Amino acid sequence: SQKITVLDTIQPVLVCADTLKVNVDSGLCTASGLTLSVPTITDNCTVVDTSNNELGTYSLGITEVSWTAEDNSGNTNTCIQIVEVTDNIAPSITCPSDTTYYVSSAECTVSGVAIGNATTSDNCGVDTVYHDGLTTYPLGETTVMWTVEDDNGLSNNCSQKITVLDTIQPVLVCA
């Protein structure tokens, strides 16, 4: 008698889906509840198990999800699917209140104006806050533009009005 043993040494072939691009969840800096696409799997025999290291919550940026397929002979192979989470939520900004100043008797401008501070927030983090305010404000109304930028390059702005009034009566010297 002769014994002939046939072994399968051919790994399954996996083709992972293209990069899954998603935005962060509302108010968060993460994404959850994602549905990953199962890879296309072929094998010369039968695939018995497919698994992955899928996360429940994905952080901002790129995460690699590793898919593994095993056939009925114990041969395995893997492929990587990329999950890319992007921040699409601009930061919020609230400007200080509009303010009115009055010139002093010596000048027709106002300097040393304390325009206040803007209030900001962001789901992933505020990077910078700045404004285009002046050192010296002339008579009339000047608009100060405030800008906030978040850690991911998104921005938002608001405006504040600084009004300078002259309420000093002219001085007359009669002859």
Side-chain angles (χ1 to χ4, degrees):
S1 73
Q2 179 182 16
K3 188 176 192 180
I4 297 175
T5 304
V6 178
L7 298 175
D8 174 15
T9 59
I10 299 172
Q11 294 178 324
V13 176
L14 284 83
V15 178
C16 275
D18 290 336
T19 299
L20 176 60
K21 295 182 178 188
V22 296
N23 291 319
V24 293
D25 295 337
S26 179
L28 300 174
C29 198
T30 58
S32 59
L34 305 183
T35 302
L36 299 178
S37 299
V38 176
T40 303
I41 304 170
T42 56
D43 189 61
N44 61 323
C45 292
T46 305
V47 173
V48 293
D49 187 37
T50 304
S51 61
N52 65 43
N53 63 341
E54 178 179 15
L55 303 173
T57 302
Y58 292 85
S59 298
L60 188 67
I62 292 177
T63 301
E64 293 183 352
V65 176
S66 179
W67 286 86
T68 302
E70 181 179 356
D71 68 15
N72 59 357
S73 297
N75 299 308
T76 61
N77 203 353
T78 60
C79 69
I80 301 294
Q81 180 179 12
I82 303 294
V83 176
E84 184 178 349
V85 179
T86 304
D87 179 15
N88 66 329
I89 302 171
S92 67
I93 185 169
T94 303
C95 277
S97 299
D98 295 346
T99 308
T100 299
Y101 291 90
Y102 299 93
V103 298
S104 67
S105 60
E107 299 290 327
C108 208
T109 60
V110 174
S111 17
V113 171
I115 63 174
N117 293 305
T119 304
T120 63
S121 66
D122 186 65
N123 60 312
C124 290
V126 170
D127 183 37
T128 57
V129 180
Y130 56 91
H131 62 80
D132 64 356
L134 306 173
T135 305
T136 302
Y137 289 85
L139 278 177
E141 186 175 276
T142 302
T143 300
V144 175
M145 184 63 64
W146 288 81
T147 302
V148 59
E149 293 177 356
D150 72 10
D151 293 337
N152 299 299
L154 300 170
S155 64
N156 205 346
N157 55 46
C158 63
S159 61
Q160 173 189 23
K161 292 180 183 170
I162 305 295
T163 304
V164 176
L165 300 175
D166 176 8
T167 58
I168 299 172
Q169 298 288 334
V171 176
L172 295 174
V173 178
C174 291

